[in-house]
Amino acid sequence: FDLCQMRLLVLAACMWAWASADSLYSVEGTVVYPRGDSSLPANTRILLNYGKYVGFPREDGTFAVNGVAPGSYIVQVENVDYVFEPVRVDITASGKMRTRKISLLQPGAVQQLPYPLKLVARESTRYFRKREEWRVTDVLFSPMVLMIALPLGIMLILPKLTANDPELQKEMENMQLPKMDMPDMSDMMANFFGPKTTGTKKITGGKTGAAQKKKN
Amino acid sequence: QMGWIHLVPCLLLISPVLALFEDQVGKFDWRQRFVGCPTQVSLDRSRGGRIDNILLTSKEQAVAAISLNNGEIAWRRLQEKNTTDDIPFATTEQLMVTVTDNGRSVRAWEKMKGGLRWSVWLSDTPSTSVSVGATGDLVAVVSGNTIYGIEGSDITSYSWKGVITKSDWSRVSTMAAGSSTGSGSSLLRSELVLVTGINGQKVTLTPIDASGLSSEGSVSISANWFDSERCLISRETLWCLSSSGSLTALPLSTSSKSTTITAKPGTLRLLSISNTIAVVGEDETTVFQLKGTEIKKVLSLPVAVDSIEGVSVDGDSEKGVVVVAHSIYNLAVYQLEKGSQLAKATLHSSPSRVPISSLLLSSPSSSSPSEFQIVAVSTDCRIESLVLDVKQTGEPFIEWTREEALARVSKAEMLDLPLSELQASIESEFEGGDLGIVGAFIRRVTTQAHQVKRWAIMTSHQLVALSSSLSFGRSGNLAEILGRIRKQDGVRATRSEPFERDFFNTRKLVLLTTLEGVIYGLDNADGRMVWRLNVDEGSTHFSPLKSQLGEETVPVYMQRTAVHPGLYPIATAVYKDKKSLETVLVSFDPMSGKLLSTRRTPPVKRVDILPKEINEHIHPLVVILKSGKVVFEPELPSDFKTMPLHVMDIDPETGSLEGSELSIVNGVGSQSKRWSGDLSFEKDEKAIIVQGKPPTQRVHSRGRVLLDRNVHYKYINPNLVAVASLDEIRQTLSIHLIDSVSGQIVHTGRVTKVTGPVHLVHCEHWVAYSYWSEKSRRTELGILEMYEGDELPESNIFDSLIPTLHQPKAIVASYIFSQGIEAMGVSETEQGATTRSLIMALPFGGLFEVTRRFVDATRPVDFTQEMREEGMVPYMPEIPIATEDMVNYNQSVYSIKTIKAFPSGLESTSLMLACGMDMFYTRLTPSGTFDILKDDYDTGLITLVLVGLFVGSYVCKRIVKRNSIKAAWA
C-alpha cells in the first residue's frame, strides 16, 4: 500500500514538474519615450537576459515578450538614442510576476516596482565628449599667461611709480636680496653660439638689478 | 561600501582617455550592416505597383527590407537567436507577417518602416512544419497540425484555431484578390484556402474566413498523383510533378478537376504569373500554363537553367515575360505569348560562377516598358540588382551588390600590404649582391632617379586632383575651398592607388573567410571590397571544417607575407568537400584574390603552419591526417631540419589530454606520443573553450614593480593553453592552464554556481573570463594573473622543459559587469608596451572598451596614500560602464561573434575588427595617441602664426630702418 502511495506521489510530482516546465508566460509592459519622437518603436527591442527572449514594442510603446519560462530575468530596452533603466522580473512556476529594481552590488535587496512594467527613457544617450573650445578668458586666466603678465606688469609699472619718489628709489636700490646662483639664459646662449663676449658681467649685473626690482 | 564612492572621482580621471570626440566620427572607423543569407525573398509590390523594397528573412534570424534603389537596409528587426529554422512570411497590402520561434510566434511588421503592428503567441509547443498566408486583415498560420486564424489590426491573441485532420502536407494559399485571369473558373469565395493532401490518396481544399475553417465549403478530390515531396502551389493552382514526369494541375476552386499532361521529369519552379509553372529538367526547361482545363506548353528551352522567374506584363498572364539565368549570369528574357526570345545578356563583370538560388523580377514600368529590374540571390549569399533593357544589347547594368556572406565570418586577419615602390626599391638596393663600386653607384643613381620620378608623378596627380576639385566649385568662399582641399586630402589618403603600405603601416588588407565558402579582401581604410573569391566555383561541395569543440571554422594561414619584394604573398584556406569528404587546401594571393592552386588530401585532423620558412620565404603547412600521417604543403626539402613541434589534443567530453611530438628529419615528419594527462571532468562537464596564445605576441616588460620597489616576475609561457570547462548541471566553471609541451597542469581554478555564456581571453601572463553568476544573477568578469616570483629568471627565453624557479603563483580577482557579453577581445600592439584594453560586444549593440588597469587582479583593496601617489587603481567590485566608452558610439552592431585586434606600425594604435551580423572596424588607442600628434593638432594655426611672425619682423625691420633714416635727417 505504501509503495502504491509512493508511486502516486512520485507520479503527481512528475506531473507537476511536467506542467510547470511546460507552461510559459509572457512579460508585458510599456516603453515610455520622450514626447515627439515617433520613429523610436521601430528601433527598439526588449531583451530578457541579454537576448534570451526578445520582444518588440508596438507603436504605442506596449510590448509583450512571449513564451518565457519561469525564472528570474533582467529586462532591458535596446535603443540607440535613449538610456533606459533595466529592471528585474521574477516569474514563479505558477506564473506570479514580481518586478524590482536591479541592485548588482546587493542582489538580495528588494525594491519592488509595479507590474506590468513601465520602462521610461531616462535620458538621451551621450556617446561623445565635448571638445574644448577656444575662449579668450581661458587664455587670459591660464596660469602661464598669468605668470608672464603679472611680472611684466610690475616691471612696467613699478619704475613709473618709483620715478616720482626718489627716496623710495634709493631705498629699493639699497635693498639686499640674496643673489641667485642662476646662470643667465642669454649669457649661456651667447657663449654657446658666438665668440666669448666681453662685458658679460656688466650685463649680468644689470639683469640682477632688474630681477631685484621684479621681486618687489 | 561608502569607501568606494570616495574613489569614484579618482577613476573618472582615468577613464576619459578612451572616449571619443564628435568630430572624430567616421575618421578611422566604419561599419557595415548585413541582413544575413536570405532564405525567402519577395518584392514589395504595394503602393500602386511601384516597387520600393525587397522583403526578406534570413538564416541569421533577421526580418528585413532592402531598398531596391540603392541596396541599403531600409529596416531590419533581429528575432530570437535560439533557432536556426527558416522564417516563413506572407505579405498583405501593408504588412509583412512572419512566423518565428519554431512556429510559435506570429508578428506583423509594417512594410515601409518595420514597426511592429501586432504580435500573437500561438502555442507553447514548438513545431516544424509551418505555413502562413495573409490577405487584408486575415492571417492564417499552419503550425504542426493546427491552424490558427488571426483577424483584426490591433490584437494580442488569435481569433480561432482548428485542428487539421491527419495529412502529409498542409499549406495555406493566398488567392489573388479579385483575380479574373487564367482559367476563369469560379474561385472560392474566400481569399485564403487551406490545402491538405495525403500521399497518393486525396487533396482537400478548405476555405478560410474570419470565423474559421468553413467545413461546408470544403472539397475533397481523390488524387492518386499527390506526393507531398513533389507538389507546389502557385497562387490559384496546385501543381504536382511525379517522378516519372507527368505534370498535374489542380485549380483551387470549388468545382476543380485535375488535369494531367506528360512532361519530362525534373523539378518544379514557381513563377510569379498565375496558372503558370516551370519544369526544370536535366537538359530541358519547359514552362506550362493552365488554360481552362488544359495545360499548354508555352515555352520550351533545350537547356537546363539555374533559376527561372516570370512576371506578367500589364496584369495579363498570357503576355507574361520570363527571365532565365542559364547557369551563370547568362540571362535571357523570353516572351510567353509568342515563345520567343526578347533579349540575351551575359554578365562578364561578375566574378562569381555560382548558381543563383532565387531570382526576382519586376514588371516594367509604363514609362520604360523595355526595362526589367532583376534581383538575383546566389547560393553564396550575394544579392545583386540588375537592370536589363531588352531593346539594347550588351551587358545589363548592375545597380548594386550586397555580400551577405560577410554576416557569417569565420576567421579574420589583417595583413600588411606590400611595401611601396619607394620602400621596395630601398630594400632591393640593399638586398642585391655585390656589384663593385661602379655597379653600386649606377644602382644608387637609378634608384634615386626612380624616386624622383615617382615623386613627380604623385605630385602631378595631386595637383590635377586638387585643381579639378577646385574648379568644380564655381562659387564659394575661402572656407569652402579650404574644406574641399582638406577633403581631397582625406580621399587621397583612403583611396590612393596603388594599394601599398603607408608610413605608419596602419593601412592593411582585411582577409575574411566565411562559412559560405567565400573569402573576402577588404581595405581597412574604408571597408570597401578589394576582391572576393568563391573557393568552390561551380560546385556546391563546400562545407566548413569542424573544430574539436564542434564549431564550424574555415581556417586560413599566411604562408608568405607581402613584405618580400618580387615574391607574391600566399595564403591558404582549408575546407571540407561535402561529397568526397576530402580536405581541400586553397592557396591564393591575398592581395589580389587570385587563385593559385587547389590541393586535396584525405580527411585531416589538424592543420598548422610551420614556424620556420623554407626557400623563397614560404612557411609550409603541417597537415596531420586522420590516419596519423604527417604531410607538408609544399613538401619540405630533403635536408630540412627543425626543432620538434609539440601538439596537444584534448577530448572535450572527458578532459583527457594527450601530448605528442612532431619531429621532422630530412624533410619527413613523424608523430610520437610524449605524455598523457587528464583534467578528470565530471559526468556533465565539457570543455567549451580552448585557447592558446598568438605566437607573434610580444610582452614588453617581464615584471610588475611593487610598491616596495621589488619586482614580481610574470609567468610568460608561450606554450600555455587555457581550457575552460563548464558543468551545466552542477553549475561549475573551471579554468585550467596547461603547458602544451610538458603536459604540466600549471593552474586549475573553479568558480561555482555559474553558467554560460562564457567568454575567455588568454594573453601575456593573464586570462580574463566572463560568466553568468547564478548566485548573484549578474555577469561577472574574472581575471587570473600568473607570477613566477621575485627572482629574475635566468634565461630570457622560456623553456617548458626546464622547471621554473618557483611554482607559478596565480592571483585572481573578479568584478561585477552590469551588462551581458556577447564576445570578448583584446587589443594588440606592435611591442606590447601599451596597456592593453579588453573589448566587449554588449547585447544592445555597443562595443565597450575597458582598460586592463581596471580589469586587474592586483588592484589593492586597502588603499593607502602611497598607492595613490603611485597611480594605482583601488579595487572596486563593479566595472563602470559608460556610454562614452563605446568605441562604436551610436553605430550599433549586433550578434558579434569575434573581436580581433591587430598591431599597426604605431605602438599606440591597435586595429580592431568586430564581426558578426554586423561588422565594425576602428583604431584603438588604449593609452592615447602618445606617439603621434593629436588628430586635432592645429597645423593651420601654427603655420599662420609663423608666417605672421616672419612678415611682422620683416615689416618691423623696414619701419625701423625708415625711422632711423628719418631720425638721422632730422
Side-chain angles (χ1 to χ4, degrees), chain B residues 519 533-536 557 559-560 568-575 583-590 592-601 618 621 632-635:
Chain B
I519 301 173
L533 173 72
N534 191 318
V535 289
D536 67 340
Y557 304 94
Q559 290 200 273
R560 183 162 66 200
Y568 54 85
I570 304 171
T572 302
V574 188
Y575 71 94
T583 300
V584 188
L585 302 150
V586 183
S587 294
F588 54 92
D589 179 346
S592 65
K594 215 178 83 194
L595 192 73
L596 297 173
S597 68
T598 307
R599 284 144 297 164
R600 287 168 177 269
T601 65
I618 291 179
L621 286 183
F632 295 95
E633 274 302 334
E635 273 182 28

Side-chain angles (χ1 to χ4, degrees), chain B residues 691 693-694 697 761-767 826-828 836:
Chain B
Q691 212 178 82
K693 283 189 233 182
Q697 189 168 72
V761 165
H762 186 198
C763 186
E764 292 181 348
H765 67 295
W766 52 271
V767 178
V826 66
S827 71
E828 194 80 47
R836 285 176 196 271

Side-chain angles (χ1 to χ4, degrees), chain B residues 665-741:
Chain B
V665 181
N666 298 335
V668 181
S670 61
Q671 204 179 2
S672 56
K673 194 174 155 185
R674 281 298 296 268
W675 56 267
S676 64
D678 199 359
L679 294 175
S680 43
F681 283 178
E682 299 281 338
K683 200 174 114 253
D684 303 295
E685 196 171 351
K686 259 185 211 153
I688 48 170
I689 298 167
V690 178
Q691 212 178 82
K693 283 189 233 182
T696 50
Q697 189 168 72
R698 286 200 185 178
V699 183
H700 188 74
S701 85
R702 294 212 59 185
R704 187 174 70 89
V705 182
L706 302 177
L707 210 59
D708 55 10
R709 297 291 173 262
N710 279 332
V711 179
H712 227 70
Y713 288 97
K714 297 171 182 170
Y715 178 70
I716 304 161
N717 180 352
N719 307 318
L720 203 65
V721 175
V723 178
S725 63
L726 185 68
D727 185 338
E728 292 267 8
I729 306 296
R730 281 173 204 82
Q731 302 190 326
T732 316
L733 170 74
S734 312
I735 307 285
H736 314 269
L737 296 178
I738 304 149
D739 189 309
S740 59
V741 171

Side-chain angles (χ1 to χ4, degrees), chain B residues 450-513:
Chain B
H450 269 296
Q451 284 170 18
V452 169
K453 195 179 108 193
R454 208 178 139 64
W455 174 82
I457 289 170
M458 285 223 352
T459 316
S460 66
H461 273 296
Q462 274 173 34
L463 281 176
V464 167
L466 194 68
S467 62
S468 71
S469 80
L470 286 179
S471 61
F472 267 118
R474 280 157 294 275
S475 63
N477 52 22
L478 185 72
E480 261 179 51
I481 292 169
L482 281 176
R484 231 173 281 136
I485 294 169
R486 203 171 278 175
K487 217 171 170 188
Q488 187 65 37
D489 206 51
V491 169
R492 203 190 63 235
T494 54
R495 284 202 182 267
S496 81
E497 299 294 338
F499 199 44
E500 60 184 26
R501 199 177 293 191
D502 61 350
F503 191 65
F504 290 126
N505 196 11
T506 50
R507 192 161 179 228
K508 305 222 177 193
L509 184 108
V510 183
L511 177 68
L512 300 164
T513 65

